[in-house]
């Protein structure tokens, strides 16, 4: 039933292409990934992570889907969406729960991206230098605290928004910390640096090829060690 709450695919066009992976550490999980078509040219993408694991986290994940689908189309900006989402979950989450979220608004005509973040892992932008072709990795991390942790006024004071324009070949990756928290048999974490270097190395391929490379790298690293957290990655590439 929880799998039915996740999209079966993500949108693509002649300007951009996407793919994703998402699987829980246990039978059910609290990671969330989704998209919404705002109008003829704008798309909203979201990746989230409910604190905790199991059925309670899965319940709040389902609740977040309803919030995203109902508010993303009416919000005038990504910041307004997060403000409304924080208000919606504020009186619903149990005291020891919160939701981290990263929200991306893409203009599919111009490549303009607006990103807000509620305490979530940063976005990863891989770009190529126009002359040398060398790849660069930039972390997109506007300020923001998790949903449900602060009142509307305090939440708004901490909320930042970052904008940039995608160029040909740019790859934007959103993820949850189940990726970086994955351990090998000796207890070593996959870690942020290893993940950033991996997506940088894979960025010449399509989103589907990048997804496959991430899955293979995690499998080789973990050597069968059970996942410690839910794992989700969204890959968006500008053509």
């Amino acid at each position: 039933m929880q799998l039915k709450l996740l999209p079966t695919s993500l949108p693509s066009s002649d300007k951009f292409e996407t793919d994703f992976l998402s699987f829980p550490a246990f039978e059910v999980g609290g990671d969330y990934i989704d998209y919404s078509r705002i109008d003829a040219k704008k798309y909203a993408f979201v990746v989230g992570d409910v604190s905790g694991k199991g059925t309670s986290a899965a319940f709040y994940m389902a609740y977040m889907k309803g919030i995203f689908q109902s508010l993303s189309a009416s919000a005038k900006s990504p910041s307004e969406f997060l403000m409304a989402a924080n208000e919606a979950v504020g009186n619903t989450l149990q005291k020891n729960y919160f939701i981290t979220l990263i929200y991306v608004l893409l203009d599919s005509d111009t490549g303009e991206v607006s990103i807000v973040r509620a305490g979530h892992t940063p976005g990863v932008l891989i770009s190529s230098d126009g002359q040398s072709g060398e790849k660069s990795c930039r972390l997109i991390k506007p300020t923001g605290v998790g949903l449900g942790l602060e009142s509307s006024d305090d939440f708004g004071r901490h909320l930042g928004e970052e904008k940039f324009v995608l160029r040909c070949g740019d790859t934007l990756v959103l993820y949850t910390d189940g990726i970086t928290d994955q351990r090998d048999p000796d207890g070593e974490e996959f870690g942020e640096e290893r993940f950033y270097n991996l997506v940088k190395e894979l960025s010449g391929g399509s989103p589907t090829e990048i997804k496959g490379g991430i899955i293979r790298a995690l499998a080789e690293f973990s050597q069968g060690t059970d996942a410690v957290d839910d794992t989700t990655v969204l890959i968006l590439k500008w053509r």
Side-chain angles (χ1 to χ4, degrees), residues 10-11 16 18 34-35 43-47 102-104 106 234 236:
L10 294 179
F16 71 95
T18 59
D34 212 345
Y35 80 94
Y43 295 84
F45 298 91
V46 66
V47 170
I102 187 165
Y103 178 98
V104 173
L106 169 69
L234 185 156
L236 186 156

Side-chain angles (χ1 to χ4, degrees), residues 162-225:
E162 188 163 343
K163 296 183 179 182
F164 55 91
V165 177
L166 294 171
R167 300 178 302 174
C168 180
D170 281 359
T171 302
L172 178 64
V173 179
L174 312 179
Y175 70 101
T176 60
D177 58 8
I179 288 278
T180 52
D181 289 349
Q182 177 63 58
R183 297 179 182 272
D184 69 7
D186 295 325
E188 181 183 353
E189 290 187 344
F190 194 74
E192 295 173 350
E193 184 176 355
R194 184 181 277 110
F195 179 61
Y196 301 155
N197 287 335
L198 174 65
V199 293
K200 185 177 176 180
E201 177 184 329
L202 295 171
S203 63
S206 68
T208 299
E209 291 169 335
I210 295 170
K211 178 182 74 172
I214 292 172
I215 292 172
R216 287 191 297 273
L218 288 175
E220 291 171 4
F221 178 81
S222 65
Q223 300 178 49
T225 304

